[in-house]
Amino acid sequence: MFGDLFEEDYSSVSNNQYGKGKKLKTKVLEPPAPREFTNLSGIRNQGGTCYLNSLLQTLHFTPEFREALFSLGPEELGSLEEKDKPDAKVRIIPLQLQRLFAQLLLVDQEAASTADLTDSFGWTSNEEMRQHDVQELNRILFSALETSLVGTSGHDLISRLYHGTIVNQVVCKECQNVSEKQVNMQEYFNNKLYCKV
């Protein structure tokens, strides 16, 4: 998968440490074509979107998420060509995520653009220039995906892959009595039961 990413170029090294006096294969020092060396593609920063890019790369390299997203076809999500038709049910955010992930996997380019995806969020150029908290963006993106995927086979994508329980404990200092409350993580964050700093 990573090609020779971790191989060193010992061209013209000829000492006993590297092959007992044999000269190693010389590599031509030319800039590689996009993706040739690592076979990976990055995401172009739109100004202040490094937090978004890191979240998208994380989701892209989570095989369960990526494969579940790709398993949703046009019969469930619609198609981007139909998004301007009045009666069409087009789920734009999942489609734009699919498109971006496909570009990252298949297109021979150094970096992919997130402009179409951020347009699907309704962001303006001012929004793209502002730094945001990646955890807040993750919560908002997951919420938007859940809403968009209602009525599809991916309706439970987020809750199936990203779930947990938060346990709040209060221990009495005098009698050591423990009071415990368990809350589903998704409910906890969706209802903003947490303290924001």
Side-chain angles (χ1 to χ4, degrees):
M1 176 177 164
F2 292 107
D4 60 358
L5 177 64
F6 299 106
E7 291 180 14
E8 296 291 333
D9 178 13
Y10 296 112
S11 57
S12 70
V13 173
S14 100
N15 63 29
N16 290 340
Q17 183 180 355
Y18 299 106
K20 299 186 180 185
K22 295 179 186 174
K23 201 170 192 179
L24 293 179
K25 185 169 40 170
T26 304
K27 292 185 180 180
V28 179
L29 298 176
E30 295 177 6
R35 296 175 64 125
E36 184 177 312
F37 181 63
T38 63
N39 204 27
L40 299 173
S41 179
I43 299 177
R44 195 170 299 112
N45 194 325
Q46 292 183 29
T49 59
C50 53
Y51 65 96
L52 168 68
N53 297 356
S54 65
L55 175 61
L56 293 172
Q57 286 283 13
T58 301
L59 294 174
H60 175 254
F61 282 106
T62 304
E64 297 84 357
F65 180 84
R66 186 182 63 239
E67 290 165 13
L69 190 64
F70 280 140
S71 74
L72 300 168
E75 62 284 349
E76 291 187 276
L77 299 180
S79 71
L80 292 172
E81 292 78 26
E82 297 173 353
K83 71 179 181 181
D84 295 325
K85 293 182 181 175
D87 295 336
K89 176 70 174 167
V90 179
R91 300 162 197 268
I92 296 174
I93 292 175
L95 284 168
Q96 289 295 358
L97 270 175
Q98 282 182 340
R99 185 182 210 185
L100 175 65
F101 288 179
Q103 288 174 355
L104 291 172
L105 290 168
L106 304 172
V107 178
D108 189 18
Q109 62 188 2
E110 188 176 16
S113 172
T114 57
D116 291 337
L117 180 63
T118 56
D119 286 349
S120 75
F121 296 166
W123 284 10
T124 63
S125 58
N126 289 341
E127 199 71 34
E128 294 160 358
M129 298 301 289
R130 288 184 43 210
Q131 279 289 335
H132 292 279
D133 179 70
V134 71
Q135 292 173 332
E136 183 72 6
L137 175 67
N138 187 43
R139 187 185 65 76
I140 292 168
L141 177 61
F142 279 7
S143 179
L145 279 172
E146 283 183 313
T147 301
S148 184
L149 295 175
V150 168
T152 71
S153 61
H155 69 280
D156 64 344
L157 170 67
I158 302 302
S159 62
R160 188 169 28 91
L161 294 178
Y162 305 97
H163 62 273
T165 303
I166 295 176
V167 178
N168 290 319
Q169 270 189 353
V170 178
V171 180
C172 178
K173 287 184 177 183
E174 292 183 25
C175 70
Q176 303 303 312
N177 184 39
V178 178
S179 173
E180 189 173 284
K181 181 178 181 181
Q182 294 187 12
V183 180
N184 177 299
M185 227 171 69
Q186 194 169 12
E187 177 186 326
Y188 185 78
F189 289 109
N190 284 344
N191 293 326
K192 297 186 180 180
L193 299 172
Y194 61 98
C195 178
K196 288 179 72 174
V197 178

